[in-house]
Amino acid sequence: MGENREWNVKKIMVCLKRVVDYNVRIRLRPDGSGVVTDGVKMSVNPFDEIALEEALRIREGGSPVEILVVSIGPADCQQQLRTGLAMGADRALLIESDIQVEPLIAAKAILKVIEREQPDLVLLGKQAIDDDCNQTGQMLAALWQRPQATFASKLEIVDGRATVTREVDAGLEVINVDLPAVVTTDLRLNEPRYVKLPDIMKAKKKPLQTESLASLGIDLEPRIRVLKYEEPAPRQKGVMVADVDALVAALRDKGIFN
Amino acid sequence: MSKVLIVAEHSGNQLNQSTARCLSCAREIDPAGADVVVFGSNCGEVAHQAAALEGVARVLTVEREENQAALAAIIAPQLAVIAADHDYILGPSTTFGKDLMPRTAALLGVGQVSDLMAVTGPRQFQRPVYAGNAIVTVEVPEGLKVVATVRTASFKPAAEGGAASIVPNQVAAELPAHTRFIELRTGGGDARPDLQTARIVLSGGRGVGSGENFKLLFALADRIGAAVGASRAAVDAGFVPNDMQVGQTGKIIAPEVYFAFGISGAIQHLTGIKDAGLIVAVNKDPEASIFQVADIGLVADLFEVIPALDKKLG
Ligand SMILES: Cc1cc2nc3c(=O)[nH]c(=O)nc-3n(C[C@H](O)[C@H](O)[C@H](O)COP(=O)(O)OP(=O)(O)OC[C@H]3O[C@@H](n4cnc5c(N)ncnc54)[C@H](O)[C@@H]3O)c2cc1C
Ligand SMILES: Nc1ncnc2c1ncn2[C@@H]1O[C@H](COP(=O)(O)O)[C@@H](O)[C@H]1O
C-alpha cells in the first residue's frame, strides 16, 4: 500500500432491479406462467437501495464520485431509475428488454456497460427478492475477471483497495480486494435514506439514457428455462394450546422430550 | 467417473454437514453416486470424512497454499477445471456455496439453479422464488452443464459407511492475486449445537426485548440441547449477532422442532423455517401470523413461558 496515495474512487456503478414490492403478497397467474404484476406495487429491490445508499455515502465521505445507476428490463424500470436519481445518483441507464433476463445475461449486459464506463466500483444487491437467485454479482465478477466481495455489511476504501466485512454463516469474514471490484450488499450495510419531494422534482432533470438489450450484441439465449410457477405446498393446520402445561403435553404427545 | 461433482464445504479440519446433504440430492440425479472435491491447504482429515459418506465414488483433493481460506475468486477457476468432465456440479446453498458456485457457472458459460429443493427429472428441478411464496420448475437445456446450489434443508444428510478412494489432484489454473483473506470473526464458538444442523432450535424475535433477555433462551437451549436463532428484527436491534438470523436472507433451516418466541411471522422469516418438522409459536398477540403456520401455538407472554418450560423440561 501507500504507493498510490492519490488513488480515489471516481465512478461507481449501481445496479437497480425493478421487483414486486416486498410488502406485496404475490399472486400467481392461473396458467402458472408467472406472477401477477398488473396493478401491483413495484419497487427498487431492497438490497439495491442499500447498494445505492452506500455509493452516496462514499461520495459524501469527501471524494467527488460520479454515480451511475443501471437497470435492465422493460420501459417501466424508468420509475425505479428515477427513484435512484432522486436518492442522489447522477445519471441513469436503462437497458431495455421485454424478455426475462436471467442472471448470466444481466451480468453480460452489465459488463458491456462497465467496459464503456470504466467504473472503480460496481455495487449490486446480494439477491433480487423476486427470483432470489443470488448470482448476478458473482457472475459479473467472474466475466470481468475482477474481485468479488459478496454479502457486504461494511465497506471501507483506502488507496485503491476495499476492505469488506462479509456476513457469512460462521459469523463475519473480512477480506481485502483491489479495485475495481464487485461488491454485493447485505441488509446491515446501511439504512437507505428516504427520498424527499424536492429531490423527486430535481431527478426529473437528470439524464436517463435508454438503449436496447439487443443492441449490446450479447448472447440472449436462456441457459435455464422456467417451465412453471406453482403455489408452495401448504402446511397442515396446527392446534392452539391454552397454557404451558398443555404445550408440554402436546410436545410429549408428538414424541418430543420424552 | 461420476457424472455429478460436489464441492465440499469445510472449516479446515471438519467437513460441513451440507456436503452430506448435497450427496443425497446428487443420488437423486444419479443413484450411482458422486465425486466430492475438497479444496484446502491440508485436506487429509476432511477428505477422510468425505470418503466415509455413503454414495461417494471418489474424493478429489486439491491442496494448495492459496486454498486455505475459501475465497471464491481463487477456488472458482480451479473448480471450473476439475468440473470439465462432470455434467452436474453441486454446492451447498450456504454462504460458501452462494459465493463460489455462480462465479464458477459464469466461468463455465452456464446458468445456475439456485436453492435446488427437488429433482423432478434428469435436467429438471424445483426451486423457491419470492421468499418461498412460489415454487418454479426449471429445466437446463441438453448439452449444458448443470450448476446448482442445493437447498440443504430439503435433503437429509447421506449416511456414513462408504470407503471411497482419495485422489490428489494438481490443477493448472492461474490464480488471481487481487483478493486477500484477512480474518473470520465467529459468533463465539460456543458448545451449543450449530443452527443449521441442530435437532431443536429456539428462536427469539423483537419480542425478546434485549440481548440480556436472550439469556433466557440460551439457558433453556442449553438445558434441552438446542441451538438458538433469531429474527432479523432481533439481529438489527443488536440483541444477537448476524450469524443467528433465520429467514430469506439469513439461514434456511430444517430442525425437527422450531420454537418461535416473540416472532410475528413475517414471510421473510417463515421462508427460513417452513421445512421444520414441528413449529411451536409463543406470542402474546393472538393475531400474529406465526400462528397460521405453527403446529402448536400458545398465546402468552414469553417471559412467563420460557422459565416455566425450563422448569418442566429440565
Ligand atoms: C428484503 C428483506 C429481507 C428480510 N429477511 C429477513 C430474514 O431473513 N429473517 C427475518 O426474520 N426477517 C427478515 N426480514 C424482516 C421481516 O420482514 C420482519 O421485519 C422481521 O422478521 C420481524 O421480526 P420479529 O418478528 O422479531 O419482529 P416483529 O414483527 O416486531 O414481531 C415481534 C413479535 O413479538 C411479539 N411479542 C412482543 N412481546 C412479547 C412477549 N413478551 N411475549 C410474547 N410475544 C411478544 C409481538 O406480539 C410481535 O408479534 C426481511 C425483510 C426484508 C425487506
Ligand atoms: N435486470 C436487472 N437490472 C438491474 N440489476 C439487476 C438485474 N438483475 C439482477 N440485478 C442485480 O443483481 C443483484 C442480484 O440479483 P440476482 O442474482 O437475480 O439475485 C440484484 O440485487 C441487482 O443489483
Side-chain angles (χ1 to χ4, degrees), chain A residues 22-23 45-47 127 129 187, chain B residues 204-209 230-234 236 245-251 261-272 282-290 298-304:
Chain A
Y22 82 98
N23 276 313
N45 184 42
F47 292 99
Q127 112 192 41
I129 61 160
L187 291 169
Chain B
R206 200 197 307 272
V208 175
S231 71
R232 176 185 167 192
D236 282 357
Q245 182 177 318
V246 172
Q248 180 188 17
T249 49
K251 289 176 180 160
F261 292 103
I263 293 179
S264 62
I267 190 72
Q268 294 89 2
H269 186 79
L270 299 182
T271 190
V282 177
N283 195 305
K284 65 180 184 190
D285 174 9
E287 303 297 321
S289 38
I290 188 84
L298 172 58
V299 178
D301 188 329
L302 69 92
F303 296 107
E304 285 160 24

Short mmCIF file of all heavy atoms in Angstrom, two decimals, chain A residues 22-23 45-47 127 129 187, chain B residues 204-209 230-234 236 245-251 261-272 282-290 298-304, ligand 1:
data_model
loop_
_atom_site.label_atom_id
_atom_site.label_comp_id
_atom_site.label_asym_id
_atom_site.label_seq_id
_atom_site.Cartn_x
_atom_site.Cartn_y
_atom_site.Cartn_z
N TYR A 22 -41.66 -5.61 -1.53
CA TYR A 22 -41.55 -6.74 -0.60
C TYR A 22 -42.76 -6.89 0.30
O TYR A 22 -42.97 -7.93 0.90
CB TYR A 22 -40.26 -6.66 0.21
CG TYR A 22 -40.31 -5.75 1.40
CD1 TYR A 22 -40.55 -6.25 2.68
CD2 TYR A 22 -40.10 -4.39 1.25
CE1 TYR A 22 -40.60 -5.40 3.78
CE2 TYR A 22 -40.15 -3.54 2.33
CZ TYR A 22 -40.41 -4.05 3.59
OH TYR A 22 -40.46 -3.21 4.68
N ASN A 23 -43.60 -5.84 0.39
CA ASN A 23 -44.81 -5.94 1.23
C ASN A 23 -46.00 -6.58 0.52
O ASN A 23 -47.01 -6.87 1.15
CB ASN A 23 -45.23 -4.53 1.66
CG ASN A 23 -44.46 -4.10 2.88
OD1 ASN A 23 -44.34 -4.86 3.84
ND2 ASN A 23 -43.92 -2.90 2.83
N ASN A 45 -35.40 -3.15 -5.83
CA ASN A 45 -35.02 -4.27 -4.97
C ASN A 45 -34.37 -3.72 -3.71
O ASN A 45 -33.45 -2.91 -3.79
CB ASN A 45 -34.04 -5.15 -5.76
CG ASN A 45 -33.65 -6.40 -5.00
OD1 ASN A 45 -34.49 -7.04 -4.37
ND2 ASN A 45 -32.37 -6.73 -5.04
N PRO A 46 -34.85 -4.12 -2.50
CA PRO A 46 -34.33 -3.51 -1.26
C PRO A 46 -32.80 -3.56 -1.13
O PRO A 46 -32.19 -2.61 -0.64
CB PRO A 46 -34.98 -4.34 -0.16
CG PRO A 46 -36.10 -5.08 -0.78
CD PRO A 46 -35.91 -5.10 -2.26
N PHE A 47 -32.18 -4.63 -1.56
CA PHE A 47 -30.72 -4.72 -1.45
C PHE A 47 -30.03 -3.71 -2.37
O PHE A 47 -28.91 -3.27 -2.10
CB PHE A 47 -30.24 -6.13 -1.79
CG PHE A 47 -30.65 -7.15 -0.79
CD1 PHE A 47 -31.76 -7.96 -1.00
CD2 PHE A 47 -29.94 -7.31 0.40
CE1 PHE A 47 -32.15 -8.90 -0.06
CE2 PHE A 47 -30.34 -8.25 1.34
CZ PHE A 47 -31.44 -9.04 1.11
N GLN A 127 -29.06 -10.21 -3.57
CA GLN A 127 -30.08 -11.05 -4.20
C GLN A 127 -31.27 -10.20 -4.58
O GLN A 127 -31.56 -9.21 -3.92
CB GLN A 127 -30.40 -12.22 -3.27
CG GLN A 127 -31.72 -12.32 -2.61
CD GLN A 127 -31.70 -13.39 -1.51
OE1 GLN A 127 -30.74 -13.53 -0.74
NE2 GLN A 127 -32.76 -14.14 -1.39
N ILE A 129 -35.19 -9.92 -4.73
CA ILE A 129 -36.20 -10.62 -3.92
C ILE A 129 -37.33 -11.22 -4.75
O ILE A 129 -38.27 -11.76 -4.20
CB ILE A 129 -36.78 -9.73 -2.80
CG1 ILE A 129 -37.47 -8.49 -3.39
CG2 ILE A 129 -35.69 -9.33 -1.81
CD1 ILE A 129 -38.45 -7.85 -2.42
N LEU A 187 -28.15 -6.77 4.21
CA LEU A 187 -29.11 -5.83 4.80
C LEU A 187 -28.51 -4.86 5.80
O LEU A 187 -28.97 -3.75 5.95
CB LEU A 187 -30.23 -6.61 5.50
CG LEU A 187 -31.17 -7.37 4.58
CD1 LEU A 187 -32.05 -8.31 5.40
CD2 LEU A 187 -32.04 -6.39 3.81
N GLY B 204 -35.64 -16.29 18.97
CA GLY B 204 -36.27 -15.14 19.60
C GLY B 204 -36.38 -14.00 18.61
O GLY B 204 -35.55 -13.84 17.72
N GLY B 205 -37.43 -13.19 18.79
CA GLY B 205 -37.63 -12.03 17.92
C GLY B 205 -37.56 -10.74 18.70
O GLY B 205 -37.05 -10.71 19.83
N ARG B 206 -38.09 -9.70 18.08
CA ARG B 206 -38.09 -8.39 18.73
C ARG B 206 -38.76 -8.46 20.10
O ARG B 206 -38.39 -7.74 21.02
CB ARG B 206 -38.84 -7.39 17.84
CG ARG B 206 -38.51 -5.94 18.15
CD ARG B 206 -39.54 -4.98 17.57
NE ARG B 206 -39.79 -5.16 16.16
CZ ARG B 206 -39.09 -4.56 15.19
NH1 ARG B 206 -38.11 -3.73 15.49
NH2 ARG B 206 -39.39 -4.77 13.93
N GLY B 207 -39.74 -9.37 20.22
CA GLY B 207 -40.46 -9.51 21.47
C GLY B 207 -39.58 -9.88 22.66
O GLY B 207 -39.96 -9.66 23.81
N VAL B 208 -38.40 -10.43 22.39
CA VAL B 208 -37.50 -10.79 23.49
C VAL B 208 -36.95 -9.52 24.17
O VAL B 208 -36.60 -9.53 25.34
CB VAL B 208 -36.37 -11.73 23.00
CG1 VAL B 208 -35.35 -12.03 24.08
CG2 VAL B 208 -36.96 -13.03 22.47
N GLY B 209 -36.87 -8.44 23.41
CA GLY B 209 -36.64 -7.14 24.03
C GLY B 209 -35.22 -6.67 24.21
O GLY B 209 -34.97 -5.48 24.14
N ALA B 230 -32.62 -16.34 15.60
CA ALA B 230 -33.25 -15.05 15.84
C ALA B 230 -33.90 -14.54 14.56
O ALA B 230 -33.58 -14.97 13.46
CB ALA B 230 -32.22 -14.04 16.32
N SER B 231 -34.83 -13.60 14.75
CA SER B 231 -35.40 -12.92 13.58
C SER B 231 -34.47 -11.78 13.19
O SER B 231 -33.58 -11.39 13.94
CB SER B 231 -36.77 -12.34 13.93
OG SER B 231 -36.60 -11.24 14.80
N ARG B 232 -34.72 -11.23 12.03
CA ARG B 232 -33.91 -10.10 11.60
C ARG B 232 -34.08 -8.91 12.55
O ARG B 232 -33.12 -8.21 12.85
CB ARG B 232 -34.31 -9.67 10.18
CG ARG B 232 -33.54 -8.44 9.75
CD ARG B 232 -33.97 -7.91 8.42
NE ARG B 232 -33.42 -6.57 8.23
CZ ARG B 232 -33.79 -5.74 7.27
NH1 ARG B 232 -34.71 -6.11 6.41
NH2 ARG B 232 -33.23 -4.57 7.17
N ALA B 233 -35.30 -8.71 13.02
CA ALA B 233 -35.54 -7.57 13.91
C ALA B 233 -34.65 -7.69 15.15
O ALA B 233 -34.10 -6.69 15.63
CB ALA B 233 -37.01 -7.50 14.29
N ALA B 234 -34.50 -8.91 15.68
CA ALA B 234 -33.68 -9.10 16.88
C ALA B 234 -32.20 -8.86 16.57
O ALA B 234 -31.46 -8.32 17.40
CB ALA B 234 -33.88 -10.51 17.43
N ASP B 236 -31.05 -6.91 13.99
CA ASP B 236 -30.89 -5.48 13.69
C ASP B 236 -30.87 -4.64 14.96
O ASP B 236 -30.19 -3.62 15.03
CB ASP B 236 -32.03 -4.99 12.78
CG ASP B 236 -31.82 -5.39 11.33
OD1 ASP B 236 -30.77 -6.00 11.04
OD2 ASP B 236 -32.70 -5.10 10.50
N GLN B 245 -29.30 -15.11 12.39
CA GLN B 245 -30.54 -14.76 11.67
C GLN B 245 -31.09 -15.91 10.84
O GLN B 245 -30.38 -16.51 10.04
CB GLN B 245 -30.32 -13.55 10.77
CG GLN B 245 -31.60 -13.14 10.04
CD GLN B 245 -31.42 -11.89 9.21
OE1 GLN B 245 -30.78 -10.94 9.65
NE2 GLN B 245 -31.96 -11.89 8.01
N VAL B 246 -32.37 -16.17 11.03
CA VAL B 246 -33.07 -17.20 10.28
C VAL B 246 -34.01 -16.52 9.29
O VAL B 246 -34.67 -15.55 9.65
CB VAL B 246 -33.89 -18.09 11.25
CG1 VAL B 246 -34.78 -19.05 10.50
CG2 VAL B 246 -32.95 -18.85 12.20
N GLY B 247 -34.04 -17.01 8.05
CA GLY B 247 -35.00 -16.45 7.10
C GLY B 247 -34.46 -16.33 5.69
O GLY B 247 -33.38 -16.83 5.39
N GLN B 248 -35.22 -15.64 4.88
CA GLN B 248 -34.91 -15.48 3.45
C GLN B 248 -33.48 -15.05 3.23
O GLN B 248 -32.79 -15.53 2.34
CB GLN B 248 -35.86 -14.44 2.83
CG GLN B 248 -35.64 -14.19 1.35
CD GLN B 248 -36.47 -13.01 0.83
OE1 GLN B 248 -36.96 -12.19 1.60
NE2 GLN B 248 -36.64 -12.95 -0.47
N THR B 249 -33.03 -14.10 4.06
CA THR B 249 -31.69 -13.58 3.87
C THR B 249 -30.76 -14.02 4.99
O THR B 249 -29.64 -13.55 5.09
CB THR B 249 -31.73 -12.05 3.80
OG1 THR B 249 -32.49 -11.56 4.89
CG2 THR B 249 -32.37 -11.60 2.52
N GLY B 250 -31.24 -14.89 5.84
CA GLY B 250 -30.38 -15.46 6.87
C GLY B 250 -30.21 -16.93 6.57
O GLY B 250 -29.98 -17.32 5.44
N LYS B 251 -30.36 -17.76 7.60
CA LYS B 251 -30.20 -19.20 7.37
C LYS B 251 -31.54 -19.87 7.13
O LYS B 251 -32.53 -19.55 7.75
CB LYS B 251 -29.50 -19.81 8.58
CG LYS B 251 -28.04 -19.39 8.61
CD LYS B 251 -27.28 -19.87 9.80
CE LYS B 251 -25.85 -19.34 9.67
NZ LYS B 251 -25.14 -19.33 10.92
N PHE B 261 -40.23 -17.55 19.71
CA PHE B 261 -40.67 -16.75 20.86
C PHE B 261 -40.64 -15.27 20.48
O PHE B 261 -39.59 -14.73 20.15
CB PHE B 261 -39.74 -16.96 22.05
CG PHE B 261 -39.80 -18.34 22.64
CD1 PHE B 261 -38.79 -19.27 22.37
CD2 PHE B 261 -40.85 -18.72 23.46
CE1 PHE B 261 -38.83 -20.54 22.91
CE2 PHE B 261 -40.90 -19.99 24.01
CZ PHE B 261 -39.90 -20.91 23.73
N GLY B 262 -41.80 -14.62 20.53
CA GLY B 262 -41.83 -13.18 20.25
C GLY B 262 -41.45 -12.86 18.82
O GLY B 262 -40.77 -11.87 18.55
N ILE B 263 -41.86 -13.72 17.90
CA ILE B 263 -41.62 -13.51 16.46
C ILE B 263 -42.98 -13.42 15.79
O ILE B 263 -43.84 -14.28 16.00
CB ILE B 263 -40.78 -14.67 15.87
CG1 ILE B 263 -39.37 -14.65 16.46
CG2 ILE B 263 -40.75 -14.60 14.35
CD1 ILE B 263 -38.46 -15.76 15.98
N SER B 264 -43.17 -12.36 15.00
CA SER B 264 -44.51 -12.13 14.44
C SER B 264 -44.85 -13.08 13.30
O SER B 264 -46.01 -13.38 13.07
CB SER B 264 -44.63 -10.68 13.96
OG SER B 264 -43.70 -10.43 12.94
N GLY B 265 -43.82 -13.53 12.56
CA GLY B 265 -44.09 -14.47 11.46
C GLY B 265 -44.13 -13.80 10.10
O GLY B 265 -44.94 -14.18 9.24
N ALA B 266 -43.25 -12.81 9.89
CA ALA B 266 -43.14 -12.19 8.56
C ALA B 266 -42.73 -13.25 7.55
O ALA B 266 -42.01 -14.19 7.88
CB ALA B 266 -42.09 -11.07 8.59
N ILE B 267 -43.20 -13.07 6.32
CA ILE B 267 -42.96 -14.07 5.27
C ILE B 267 -41.46 -14.33 5.10
O ILE B 267 -41.03 -15.46 4.87
CB ILE B 267 -43.64 -13.64 3.95
CG1 ILE B 267 -43.61 -14.78 2.94
CG2 ILE B 267 -43.05 -12.39 3.36
CD1 ILE B 267 -44.53 -15.89 3.29
N GLN B 268 -40.65 -13.26 5.27
CA GLN B 268 -39.19 -13.44 5.09
C GLN B 268 -38.61 -14.34 6.18
O GLN B 268 -37.59 -14.98 6.00
CB GLN B 268 -38.46 -12.10 5.10
CG GLN B 268 -38.79 -11.19 3.94
CD GLN B 268 -39.99 -10.30 4.20
OE1 GLN B 268 -40.56 -10.32 5.29
NE2 GLN B 268 -40.37 -9.51 3.21
N HIS B 269 -39.25 -14.34 7.34
CA HIS B 269 -38.79 -15.23 8.41
C HIS B 269 -39.29 -16.66 8.15
O HIS B 269 -38.53 -17.62 8.24
CB HIS B 269 -39.27 -14.74 9.77
CG HIS B 269 -38.69 -15.53 10.91
ND1 HIS B 269 -37.41 -15.32 11.37
CD2 HIS B 269 -39.17 -16.58 11.62
CE1 HIS B 269 -37.15 -16.19 12.34
NE2 HIS B 269 -38.20 -16.97 12.50
N LEU B 270 -40.56 -16.77 7.77
CA LEU B 270 -41.17 -18.10 7.60
C LEU B 270 -40.46 -18.92 6.53
O LEU B 270 -40.36 -20.13 6.64
CB LEU B 270 -42.66 -17.96 7.25
CG LEU B 270 -43.50 -17.25 8.31
CD1 LEU B 270 -44.97 -17.22 7.87
CD2 LEU B 270 -43.36 -17.93 9.67
N THR B 271 -39.97 -18.25 5.50
CA THR B 271 -39.32 -18.99 4.43
C THR B 271 -38.10 -19.75 4.94
O THR B 271 -37.71 -20.76 4.37
CB THR B 271 -38.96 -18.05 3.26
OG1 THR B 271 -38.55 -18.82 2.16
CG2 THR B 271 -37.85 -17.11 3.62
N GLY B 272 -37.55 -19.29 6.05
CA GLY B 272 -36.37 -19.97 6.61
C GLY B 272 -36.70 -21.18 7.44
O GLY B 272 -35.81 -21.94 7.81
N VAL B 282 -44.87 -19.04 20.37
CA VAL B 282 -45.35 -18.38 21.58
C VAL B 282 -45.34 -16.88 21.30
O VAL B 282 -44.28 -16.32 21.00
CB VAL B 282 -44.47 -18.72 22.80
CG1 VAL B 282 -44.97 -17.95 24.03
CG2 VAL B 282 -44.44 -20.21 23.05
N ASN B 283 -46.51 -16.28 21.35
CA ASN B 283 -46.62 -14.86 21.05
C ASN B 283 -47.80 -14.32 21.82
O ASN B 283 -48.81 -15.01 21.96
CB ASN B 283 -46.83 -14.67 19.53
CG ASN B 283 -46.60 -13.24 19.09
OD1 ASN B 283 -47.22 -12.31 19.62
ND2 ASN B 283 -45.71 -13.07 18.13
N LYS B 284 -47.68 -13.10 22.32
CA LYS B 284 -48.79 -12.60 23.13
C LYS B 284 -49.91 -12.01 22.28
O LYS B 284 -50.98 -11.71 22.80
CB LYS B 284 -48.31 -11.62 24.20
CG LYS B 284 -47.71 -10.34 23.68
CD LYS B 284 -47.27 -9.49 24.87
CE LYS B 284 -46.75 -8.16 24.37
NZ LYS B 284 -46.10 -7.37 25.43
N ASP B 285 -49.65 -11.88 20.99
CA ASP B 285 -50.68 -11.35 20.08
C ASP B 285 -51.39 -12.49 19.36
O ASP B 285 -50.81 -13.17 18.52
CB ASP B 285 -50.01 -10.41 19.06
CG ASP B 285 -50.97 -9.93 17.99
OD1 ASP B 285 -52.19 -10.17 18.13
OD2 ASP B 285 -50.49 -9.31 17.02
N PRO B 286 -52.68 -12.73 19.68
CA PRO B 286 -53.38 -13.87 19.04
C PRO B 286 -53.49 -13.72 17.52
O PRO B 286 -53.70 -14.71 16.82
CB PRO B 286 -54.77 -13.84 19.69
CG PRO B 286 -54.91 -12.51 20.35
CD PRO B 286 -53.54 -12.00 20.63
N GLU B 287 -53.34 -12.50 17.01
CA GLU B 287 -53.45 -12.27 15.57
C GLU B 287 -52.12 -12.47 14.84
O GLU B 287 -52.06 -12.36 13.62
CB GLU B 287 -53.92 -10.83 15.29
CG GLU B 287 -55.26 -10.45 15.93
CD GLU B 287 -56.39 -11.30 15.41
OE1 GLU B 287 -56.40 -11.58 14.19
OE2 GLU B 287 -57.25 -11.70 16.22
N ALA B 288 -51.04 -12.72 15.55
CA ALA B 288 -49.72 -12.82 14.91
C ALA B 288 -49.74 -13.87 13.81
O ALA B 288 -50.30 -14.97 14.00
CB ALA B 288 -48.65 -13.15 15.96
N SER B 289 -49.14 -13.56 12.66
CA SER B 289 -49.26 -14.51 11.54
C SER B 289 -48.45 -15.78 11.75
O SER B 289 -48.68 -16.77 11.05
CB SER B 289 -48.91 -13.84 10.21
OG SER B 289 -47.85 -12.95 10.35
N ILE B 290 -47.56 -15.80 12.71
CA ILE B 290 -46.82 -17.03 13.01
C ILE B 290 -47.79 -18.16 13.35
O ILE B 290 -47.54 -19.32 13.05
CB ILE B 290 -45.81 -16.80 14.18
CG1 ILE B 290 -44.88 -17.99 14.37
CG2 ILE B 290 -46.50 -16.48 15.50
CD1 ILE B 290 -43.69 -18.03 13.49
N LEU B 298 -49.27 -20.98 21.23
CA LEU B 298 -49.66 -20.60 22.58
C LEU B 298 -49.65 -19.08 22.66
O LEU B 298 -48.61 -18.45 22.43
CB LEU B 298 -48.68 -21.21 23.61
CG LEU B 298 -48.82 -20.75 25.07
CD1 LEU B 298 -50.21 -21.03 25.62
CD2 LEU B 298 -47.76 -21.43 25.94
N VAL B 299 -50.82 -18.51 22.95
CA VAL B 299 -50.90 -17.06 23.12
C VAL B 299 -50.53 -16.77 24.58
O VAL B 299 -51.29 -17.09 25.49
CB VAL B 299 -52.32 -16.53 22.82
CG1 VAL B 299 -52.39 -15.02 23.04
CG2 VAL B 299 -52.71 -16.88 21.38
N ALA B 300 -49.35 -16.21 24.78
CA ALA B 300 -48.89 -15.97 26.15
C ALA B 300 -47.66 -15.08 26.13
O ALA B 300 -47.06 -14.84 25.07
CB ALA B 300 -48.55 -17.29 26.84
N ASP B 301 -47.27 -14.62 27.31
CA ASP B 301 -46.07 -13.80 27.46
C ASP B 301 -44.86 -14.72 27.54
O ASP B 301 -44.79 -15.61 28.37
CB ASP B 301 -46.21 -12.98 28.75
CG ASP B 301 -45.10 -11.95 28.88
OD1 ASP B 301 -43.97 -12.22 28.40
OD2 ASP B 301 -45.35 -10.89 29.47
N LEU B 302 -43.92 -14.48 26.64
CA LEU B 302 -42.74 -15.37 26.57
C LEU B 302 -41.95 -15.34 27.87
O LEU B 302 -41.28 -16.32 28.22
CB LEU B 302 -41.87 -15.01 25.37
CG LEU B 302 -41.10 -13.68 25.36
CD1 LEU B 302 -39.70 -13.84 25.93
CD2 LEU B 302 -40.99 -13.17 23.93
N PHE B 303 -42.03 -14.23 28.61
CA PHE B 303 -41.26 -14.14 29.86
C PHE B 303 -41.85 -15.01 30.96
O PHE B 303 -41.21 -15.29 31.96
CB PHE B 303 -41.15 -12.68 30.32
CG PHE B 303 -40.39 -11.84 29.34
CD1 PHE B 303 -41.04 -10.92 28.53
CD2 PHE B 303 -39.01 -12.01 29.19
CE1 PHE B 303 -40.33 -10.16 27.60
CE2 PHE B 303 -38.31 -11.26 28.26
CZ PHE B 303 -38.97 -10.34 27.46
N GLU B 304 -43.09 -15.45 30.76
CA GLU B 304 -43.66 -16.43 31.69
C GLU B 304 -43.45 -17.84 31.16
O GLU B 304 -43.18 -18.76 31.92
CB GLU B 304 -45.15 -16.16 31.89
CG GLU B 304 -45.39 -14.95 32.79
CD GLU B 304 -46.78 -14.37 32.65
OE1 GLU B 304 -47.71 -15.10 32.23
OE2 GLU B 304 -46.93 -13.16 32.95
C1 LIG C 1 -35.55 -7.93 1.85
C2 LIG C 1 -35.91 -8.35 3.24
C3 LIG C 1 -35.34 -9.49 3.76
C4 LIG C 1 -35.66 -9.90 5.06
N1 LIG C 1 -35.09 -11.05 5.55
C5 LIG C 1 -35.43 -11.49 6.78
C6 LIG C 1 -34.88 -12.71 7.32
O1 LIG C 1 -34.05 -13.38 6.71
N2 LIG C 1 -35.28 -13.10 8.55
C7 LIG C 1 -36.19 -12.39 9.29
O2 LIG C 1 -36.53 -12.83 10.42
N3 LIG C 1 -36.71 -11.25 8.83
C8 LIG C 1 -36.34 -10.77 7.59
N4 LIG C 1 -36.86 -9.59 7.15
C9 LIG C 1 -37.65 -8.76 8.10
C10 LIG C 1 -39.10 -9.18 8.25
O3 LIG C 1 -39.88 -8.55 7.25
C11 LIG C 1 -39.63 -8.74 9.64
O4 LIG C 1 -39.45 -7.34 9.78
C12 LIG C 1 -38.96 -9.43 10.82
O5 LIG C 1 -38.91 -10.83 10.62
C13 LIG C 1 -39.71 -9.12 12.09
O6 LIG C 1 -39.06 -9.68 13.20
P1 LIG C 1 -39.87 -10.01 14.53
O7 LIG C 1 -40.95 -10.97 14.22
O8 LIG C 1 -38.87 -10.40 15.56
O9 LIG C 1 -40.43 -8.58 14.96
P2 LIG C 1 -41.90 -8.02 14.99
O10 LIG C 1 -42.56 -8.16 13.69
O11 LIG C 1 -41.80 -6.68 15.60
O12 LIG C 1 -42.66 -9.00 15.99
C14 LIG C 1 -42.41 -9.07 17.35
C15 LIG C 1 -43.47 -10.01 17.93
O13 LIG C 1 -43.20 -10.22 19.31
C16 LIG C 1 -44.43 -10.33 19.99
N5 LIG C 1 -44.15 -10.04 21.40
C17 LIG C 1 -43.72 -8.89 21.95
N6 LIG C 1 -43.53 -9.03 23.28
C18 LIG C 1 -43.84 -10.31 23.57
C19 LIG C 1 -43.86 -11.06 24.78
N7 LIG C 1 -43.49 -10.52 25.94
N8 LIG C 1 -44.26 -12.33 24.74
C20 LIG C 1 -44.65 -12.91 23.56
N9 LIG C 1 -44.65 -12.24 22.39
C21 LIG C 1 -44.26 -10.95 22.39
C22 LIG C 1 -45.33 -9.32 19.32
O14 LIG C 1 -46.69 -9.65 19.51
C23 LIG C 1 -44.88 -9.46 17.85
O15 LIG C 1 -45.69 -10.39 17.16
C24 LIG C 1 -36.55 -9.15 5.84
C25 LIG C 1 -37.12 -8.01 5.31
C26 LIG C 1 -36.81 -7.60 4.03
C27 LIG C 1 -37.43 -6.36 3.49
#
